[in-house]
Amino acid sequence: MKKPTLFSLLFYVLLSACISPSNSGLPHPVDLHGQLSIRGNQLVNAKGEAVALSGPSFFWSNTGWGGNAFYHPKAVKYFKNEWNANIIRVAIGVEPSGGYIEEPDENYKRALTLINAGLKQGLYVIVDWHSHHAQDYPEEAKAFFSKIAARYGDKPNIIYEIYNEPLRDTDWQKTIKPYAIELIQTIRKIDPDNIIIVGTQSWSQDVDKAAANPIEGFDNIAYALHFYAGTHKEKLRKKARTALQSGLALVVTEWGTVNADGDGPVDYQSVDEWMSFLSEHKISHCNWSANNKNESSSMFTPETRPKGKWADDNLSESGKLAKKIISEWNKQ
Ligand code: IDC
């Protein structure tokens, strides 16, 4: 073989720098999987292979709630590079103080900041209408998702989550399903194919009710299943199995290592049981939450500065566990 010249060495160094699209040398998740869709009860990638994504959920975006300070591009880069996340969830707070209803421009801007950062890092981005009463604001929801769809609907990165958590007394048939159909019709006029996730009754737990009476006539619809390991166990997985068996695709758009109130001890055993379940059924999941609030579900300790730069010392007990789970999950 001919000895490489200085010129040819330089050429190869430059070439490998160009084809290595991310800092960590790994391909961008969206380059790897492309356009997602739902086949049967499974999320699949552009090649039709089952895919289960994993990453963090940001906190309520509301002004003055603290979690909004984490809505910056470096946070997204951190989760991509340090946690190996391939998805993020942007939780746009809707109705309490400082949310979208009161401050639409500020919250819309926060959504764009994280979406743009997600696109730059090649991540999937769930855009979540973080509400417990979304049926009271259908016009605002439609206007919000229309803007998002018009701006980003042609990108494979975007996933719409149209209703975080309807309450226990918000009826699937009477209220949630009609709201969902209205929103799906609105989004589908602009974006024909990206995944739309529908929240389910009782804080996104009654997936069995949705399974008995699913939304028909639209493609690429999935349903939200939320769990908090300290509170929810086998009983909730049973509902999930019922839903999967009747053909519903589930996405755990939010889960916690602790109790459903966002606080309490980390329940390691229950987290383990849930992760086996998610792995067995190839279900994507986002951990609550990227925040430094003094509650145990926050990934960061209360002393942590929202702007970064973060090391493992900045992670709470829950944050350390979530990082371990997510970074191992996404190792292919
Ligand atoms: C919680 C926050 C908490 C905040 C509360 C306001 O952790 O700091 O005071 O919202 O309602 C959910 C919700 C999510 C909750 C979380 C923990 O989607 O908004 O966040 N949780 O209670 N569903 C189950 C648990």
Side-chain angles (χ1 to χ4, degrees):
M1 207 181 97
K2 240 171 69 186
K3 234 174 121 190
T5 62
L6 187 63
F7 176 77
S8 64
L9 276 175
L10 201 65
F11 175 77
Y12 278 110
V13 169
L14 282 175
L15 185 71
S16 51
C18 288
I19 57 177
S20 164
S22 72
N23 290 354
S24 60
L26 294 168
H28 280 169
V30 174
D31 291 342
L32 201 66
H33 293 299
Q35 181 69 46
L36 303 174
S37 58
I38 302 292
R39 198 171 287 175
N41 66 4
Q42 183 61 58
L43 181 69
V44 299
N45 66 16
K47 292 186 213 144
E49 300 159 341
V51 55
L53 307 165
S54 172
S57 172
F58 283 74
F59 193 78
W60 297 78
S61 65
N62 303 47
T63 308
W65 286 33
N68 58 308
F70 287 81
Y71 276 60
H72 58 78
K74 275 192 194 149
V76 176
K77 198 171 170 191
Y78 163 79
F79 286 117
K80 161 77 170 48
N81 290 341
E82 305 297 325
W83 289 44
N84 208 13
N86 49 20
I87 189 165
I88 57 168
R89 177 181 189 239
V90 180
I92 297 304
V94 178
E95 64 282 287
S97 65
Y100 191 89
I101 302 304
E102 261 183 36
E103 299 188 13
D105 296 346
E106 288 78 353
N107 285 282
Y108 183 63
K109 242 167 67 189
R110 285 177 199 132
L112 298 198
T113 299
L114 290 196
I115 295 170
N116 289 333
L119 294 183
K120 191 159 174 220
Q121 300 299 326
L123 301 178
Y124 293 96
V125 181
I126 297 179
V127 184
D128 156 39
W129 189 244
H130 204 79
S131 171
H132 294 292
H133 309 274
Q135 69 278 6
D136 296 344
Y137 308 96
E139 293 314 315
E140 285 84 350
K142 286 193 276 182
F144 172 73
F145 283 110
S146 296
K147 282 204 286 186
I148 298 292
R151 202 162 173 148
Y152 300 105
D154 59 340
K155 308 270 189 300
N157 309 62
I158 299 299
I159 298 172
Y160 309 93
E161 183 179 5
I162 58 178
Y163 193 158
N164 169 44
E165 288 183 352
L167 299 176
R168 176 165 285 150
D169 58 3
T170 306
D171 189 70
W172 169 257
Q173 157 73 16
K174 280 209 291 262
T175 306
I176 307 165
K177 193 176 170 188
Y179 165 88
I181 291 172
E182 216 179 316
L183 266 288
I184 293 168
Q185 282 169 338
T186 303
I187 295 170
R188 282 288 178 258
K189 278 189 200 138
I190 308 168
D191 179 342
D193 53 4
N194 281 4
I195 308 288
I196 301 175
I197 303 173
V198 180
T200 50
Q201 196 171 333
S202 306
W203 303 279
S204 289
Q205 292 167 41
D206 293 346
V207 286
D208 52 339
K209 283 195 184 147
N213 182 7
I215 292 166
E216 279 160 352
F218 302 95
D219 291 331
N220 300 328
I221 305 298
Y223 297 80
L225 170 72
H226 290 179
F227 72 85
Y228 279 71
T231 308
H232 309 117
K233 314 212 165 163
E234 189 53 28
K235 208 168 116 198
L236 184 54
R237 285 193 290 275
K238 202 166 160 227
K239 286 186 189 199
R241 278 194 203 93
T242 305
L244 290 167
Q245 272 156 20
S246 61
L248 243 55
L250 303 179
V251 180
V252 173
T253 54
E254 185 184 310
W255 70 277
T257 62
V258 297
N259 295 338
D261 63 358
D263 221 345
V266 171
D267 190 333
Y268 289 93
Q269 194 194 324
S270 174
V271 169
D272 240 32
E273 286 162 11
W274 273 105
M275 287 304 141
S276 307
F277 176 81
L278 299 185
S279 164
E280 180 191 342
H281 296 285
K282 297 200 167 61
I283 296 176
S284 305
H285 53 91
C286 291
N287 180 258
W288 186 263
S289 70
N291 198 7
N292 64 353
K293 187 171 170 176
N294 192 11
E295 61 176 0
S296 58
S297 57
S298 278
M299 288 168 186
F300 298 103
T301 61
E303 305 76 45
T304 297
R305 286 171 41 236
K307 290 289 167 216
K309 185 180 183 195
W310 303 311
D312 283 357
D313 287 355
N314 295 109
L315 296 175
S316 66
E317 191 181 342
S318 181
K320 286 189 177 114
L321 179 59
K323 182 185 176 196
K324 185 170 183 288
I325 288 169
I326 292 168
S327 50
E328 283 174 10
W329 187 278
N330 292 333
K331 261 187 213 144
Q332 306 271 335

